[in-house]
Structures are given as structure tokens and as C-alpha cells.
Amino acid sequence: MTTRDDRGRSIDQAQDALHQAMRGGDVSHLRELLYEGLAFELPGESVVGRAADLDAHASGATRFDKLSELHRSTLEHDGHGRTSSLVDIVVFDRGHRIEARMSYRRFWSIIEGRWQVVAGSAEPFA
């Protein structure tokens, strides 16, 4: 059975909303979807938190021109879950254009009545 948050969203619908917010640089929606204590591991083993991620989107330092999900697997139970997805991206990161196929893993929990990303990672798909 699919767990829904107070807004009626499944974990997959929350992930879709996250991708849409990333594509649009929508900091308001990203703020709703990212847990305050977020720890997200980037390629090269650096870890960013929610504030740094939101700042990067708000300032334009990070801007997605393309984010196309090719595959997703989802596991969830009782308000907690994981999404793993394969994504083609074109992102501008501090002025550098990056085009890559990435593997994203996100861990979600329903917090304050809504699905939020609590941790995750992104790495190039080999």
C-alpha cells in the first residue's frame, strides 16, 4: 500500500515535484521538499546541506537546463522510503556546463506531514 502525506502525495509524486522544482529553480518548493537537516553527497564525496543547496538555486550558481528521468525504482513503507533514479542532466554549476547521466539515490520521510528528502547521493552513471 502506498503511503500518502497530508497533501495526498505519494513518494513518487513528491519526487516528481522535486524534479520540477529543480528544473525551474523553484526555491520555495525545494524548501518544502528538502529536510532542514538534509545531507546530500555529491560526486567527489563532498556533502551539501539544505541551506547550501537552496542558496545555490536562489543565486543561480546551480541551474538545471535539462533533467530527464530515464528509470526509477521506489521502495517505501510506513512513511519512509528510498528512490533510485537514472537521470540525464544538463546543469550549470558556478558557470560550468555539465552534461551527464547520473544515478540519484534519495531517502525520504514524512516529516511535518509531507514527504521530505532527508539524505541522498548523486554520482555519474558508469
mmCIF file of all heavy atoms in Angstrom, residues 14 29 32 34 48 117:
data_model
loop_
_atom_site.group_PDB
_atom_site.id
_atom_site.type_symbol
_atom_site.label_atom_id
_atom_site.label_comp_id
_atom_site.label_asym_id
_atom_site.label_seq_id
_atom_site.Cartn_x
_atom_site.Cartn_y
_atom_site.Cartn_z
ATOM 1 N N ALA A 14 6.037 13.106 -4.882
ATOM 2 C CA ALA A 14 6.951 14.060 -4.252
ATOM 3 C C ALA A 14 8.247 14.143 -5.066
ATOM 4 O O ALA A 14 8.788 15.235 -5.270
ATOM 5 C CB ALA A 14 7.232 13.648 -2.813
ATOM 6 N N HIS A 29 9.512 25.724 -3.473
ATOM 7 C CA HIS A 29 9.118 24.311 -3.480
ATOM 8 C C HIS A 29 10.260 23.407 -3.020
ATOM 9 O O HIS A 29 10.021 22.401 -2.352
ATOM 10 C CB HIS A 29 8.606 23.889 -4.858
ATOM 11 C CG HIS A 29 7.197 24.315 -5.095
ATOM 12 N ND1 HIS A 29 6.875 25.337 -5.943
ATOM 13 C CD2 HIS A 29 6.036 23.881 -4.564
ATOM 14 C CE1 HIS A 29 5.567 25.520 -5.930
ATOM 15 N NE2 HIS A 29 5.032 24.642 -5.097
ATOM 16 N N GLU A 32 10.258 23.178 0.693
ATOM 17 C CA GLU A 32 9.221 22.285 1.216
ATOM 18 C C GLU A 32 9.613 20.811 1.110
ATOM 19 O O GLU A 32 9.183 20.000 1.918
ATOM 20 C CB GLU A 32 7.906 22.496 0.458
ATOM 21 C CG GLU A 32 7.243 23.819 0.720
ATOM 22 C CD GLU A 32 5.960 23.976 -0.082
ATOM 23 O OE1 GLU A 32 5.503 22.994 -0.713
ATOM 24 O OE2 GLU A 32 5.415 25.089 -0.070
ATOM 25 N N LEU A 34 12.882 19.521 0.893
ATOM 26 C CA LEU A 34 14.176 19.157 1.466
ATOM 27 C C LEU A 34 14.140 19.357 2.972
ATOM 28 O O LEU A 34 13.847 20.449 3.460
ATOM 29 C CB LEU A 34 15.299 20.011 0.858
ATOM 30 C CG LEU A 34 15.457 19.937 -0.654
ATOM 31 C CD1 LEU A 34 16.559 20.887 -1.119
ATOM 32 C CD2 LEU A 34 15.724 18.510 -1.123
ATOM 33 N N VAL A 48 26.608 18.348 0.853
ATOM 34 C CA VAL A 48 25.953 19.651 0.987
ATOM 35 C C VAL A 48 24.693 19.483 1.823
ATOM 36 O O VAL A 48 24.069 18.425 1.836
ATOM 37 C CB VAL A 48 25.603 20.289 -0.373
ATOM 38 C CG1 VAL A 48 26.844 20.573 -1.181
ATOM 39 C CG2 VAL A 48 24.630 19.438 -1.156
ATOM 40 N N VAL A 117 13.062 14.950 1.508
ATOM 41 C CA VAL A 117 14.335 14.250 1.312
ATOM 42 C C VAL A 117 15.185 14.508 2.544
ATOM 43 O O VAL A 117 15.461 15.655 2.890
ATOM 44 C CB VAL A 117 15.082 14.756 0.065
ATOM 45 C CG1 VAL A 117 16.403 14.015 -0.098
ATOM 46 C CG2 VAL A 117 14.222 14.610 -1.176
#
